[in-house]
Amino acid sequence: MHEAAFPSAADAAIVGAGVCGLAIGWRLAQRGLKVAIFERERAGAGASHAATGMLAAAAEVEPGEDDLLPLLLESQRLWPTFRDEVEAASGRSIDYRADGVLVVALGREEVERLRFRFDLQQRLGLATEWLGGGEARRREPGLRPAVSAAISCPGDHQVEARLLVAALAKAFVAAGGILLENCSAERLETAGGRVAGVVTGQGTCRAATVVLAAGAWSAALPGLPAEAVLPVRPLKGQSLALRMPVGAPTLGRMVWTEQVYLAPKSDGRLIVGATVEEKGFDDSLTAGGVYALLDGARRALPGIEELAIDEIWCGFRPSSRDDAPILGETALPGLVVATGHHRNGILLAPVTAQAIADLVLDGAMRGPAAHFTAARFAPAPRAEAAE
Ligand code: GLY
């Protein structure tokens, strides 16, 4: 991509060119702002590069996430329009696939736990369907005969996250945005108790609004006052990609088991993901991690034994203290955040971009995003001493 000239000032400066930073920048640029995004590596080099790209509000639902679900569903609803817009603006495909997800169980104990998951989905009003093992294998003939039940989640789709990054970057630049890659944000500039800009390796960009969208690195930006530091940490995930035979995919849609998920892509790759590890920023690829992925995949889909390994990688999900995103204003005027997306960064990109654009341009976030500000982590006020 054409290297942009460094801007000494912008209406909004964004730290981080992952899917969320790019989508926010694109929405702001579309609405007429001068926007600069500063990325210390290549666009999407962080969690976005590692992501499988699933838009799986139903398959991923967990007990205790009742507050998060409306945000996930709202973003899932926005996704088809978002896809159309980003593909039209960039002239690039993002490999959106609407094949749905099968969550499968092998053996009686897993069926019991799957039934619990299905009951939860039904209580939450999600459009999912219980299938016997025979029907699951009819839909996906490569599944092992021991697959004895499944949940079909037809509304859970997927994209190719790396294609999405490339398309968003192109759409952002086409809308007039300034993308600075290999340009790390070294410090947040403040003046008079509010944000004044970003100091980078290439110079200072003055901006009255700074959007911090640096994923798992969002807590580490020097210059953040203590009250604006976010409770975000890296949650490591190792994944790998296998290569399916041309014209004869081993799997036609995403499959989840208790151990792994498998996501076939239209370029013939079959992504197997992902470990969930509290290892800080340790980026080693481990025998145990890769073994767990291959063993879990083979348990459901024996045909993977024949497939070549294409790539193995790891990434760092940005996870907050309650595993929900942190969106919107902070204790520092002018500093806006969009991080903490945990396992749902790709799914939540459209709603995140819309919410942050609404905040910057109209002064408030609307809809379910408004419940996910950093204010929920503020210490409770001390009780008044009894009189
Ligand atoms: N959304 C899948 C993952 O985080 O591994």
Side-chain angles (χ1 to χ4, degrees):
M1 196 166 286
H2 169 73
E3 198 58 45
F6 189 88
S8 57
D11 298 319
I14 299 178
V15 179
V19 161
C20 285
L22 287 168
I24 293 165
W26 178 43
R27 288 302 192 215
L28 291 174
Q30 278 180 317
R31 291 174 66 179
L33 292 200
K34 180 175 179 183
V35 185
I37 303 183
F38 302 101
E39 166 58 49
R40 63 187 186 137
E41 294 184 40
R42 303 287 298 171
S48 303
H49 189 77
T52 299
M54 59 187 67
L55 315 175
E60 293 226 39
V61 75
E62 296 290 343
E65 287 186 349
D66 305 27
D67 293 344
L68 181 60
L69 190 63
L71 188 71
L72 300 172
L73 291 175
E74 173 63 3
S75 209
Q76 206 175 45
R77 189 185 69 74
L78 294 173
W79 247 105
T81 309
F82 186 77
R83 168 204 59 202
D84 291 347
E85 285 183 63
V86 74
E87 287 190 339
S90 64
R92 289 171 177 243
S93 163
I94 59 170
D95 193 22
Y96 187 101
R97 293 177 55 140
D99 315 299
V101 173
L102 285 183
V103 187
V104 304
L106 294 105
R108 191 184 307 162
E109 283 182 17
E110 285 196 13
V111 172
E112 279 171 25
R113 288 193 287 269
L114 191 71
R115 177 60 76 176
F116 177 81
R117 178 172 290 273
F118 182 67
D119 290 345
L120 172 69
Q121 292 171 335
Q122 295 296 295
R123 268 202 311 282
L124 294 169
L126 296 167
T128 57
E129 186 193 0
W130 183 263
L131 305 178
E135 177 57 20
R137 290 193 303 279
R138 193 188 65 71
R139 296 186 188 193
E140 284 300 338
L143 289 174
R144 196 177 280 280
V147 168
S148 40
I151 302 170
S152 166
C153 309
D156 286 359
H157 301 165
Q158 60 164 324
V159 295
E160 169 53 71
R162 296 176 189 179
L163 295 180
L164 175 62
V165 166
L168 279 171
K170 201 157 174 234
F172 171 65
V173 172
I178 303 160
L179 176 59
L180 276 298
E181 297 180 295
N182 303 309
C183 180
S184 53
E186 294 183 345
R187 187 164 48 81
L188 186 70
E189 188 94 305
T190 57
R194 59 162 297 121
V195 155
V198 181
V199 181
T200 79
Q202 294 182 23
T204 298
C205 177
R206 285 178 287 107
T209 300
V210 172
V211 181
L212 184 51
W217 292 266
S218 296
L221 181 64
L224 282 175
E227 65 277 15
V229 172
L230 305 166
V232 182
R233 67 182 198 288
L235 191 60
K236 178 179 177 181
Q238 300 183 55
S239 298
L240 56 87
L242 306 170
R243 175 111 346 238
M244 299 186 287
V246 177
T250 316
L251 198 66
R253 76 200 75 205
M254 280 185 291
V255 164
W256 278 64
T257 74
E258 286 193 359
Q259 291 80 35
V260 295
Y261 50 78
L262 301 117
K265 300 292 178 182
S266 302
D267 66 356
R269 294 188 318 144
L270 176 62
I271 296 182
V272 183
T275 63
V276 178
E277 303 171 67
E278 294 279 4
K279 291 274 174 62
F281 285 108
D282 168 6
D283 64 358
S284 49
L285 302 170
T286 63
V290 174
Y291 175 80
L293 295 173
L294 290 174
D295 186 50
R298 178 173 164 271
R299 201 168 153 261
L301 195 69
I304 66 134
E305 282 184 33
E306 306 302 326
L307 306 184
I309 295 178
D310 207 60
E311 188 186 350
I312 305 175
W313 67 92
C314 84
F316 301 102
R317 306 172 183 90
S319 292
S320 73
R321 210 180 291 149
D322 60 6
D323 293 345
I326 311 174
L327 305 173
E329 288 171 316
T330 62
L332 179 66
L335 179 67
V336 171
V337 292
T339 186
H341 291 79
H342 189 52
R343 299 177 62 104
N344 297 304
I346 308 299
L347 169 59
L348 287 172
V351 81
T352 297
Q354 183 172 297
I356 301 299
D358 286 347
L359 175 65
V360 172
L361 287 151
D362 307 331
M365 297 194 292
R366 289 188 278 274
H371 301 295
F372 292 94
T373 66
R376 71 188 187 275
F377 301 114
R382 290 165 64 122
E384 290 293 322
E387 302 210 341

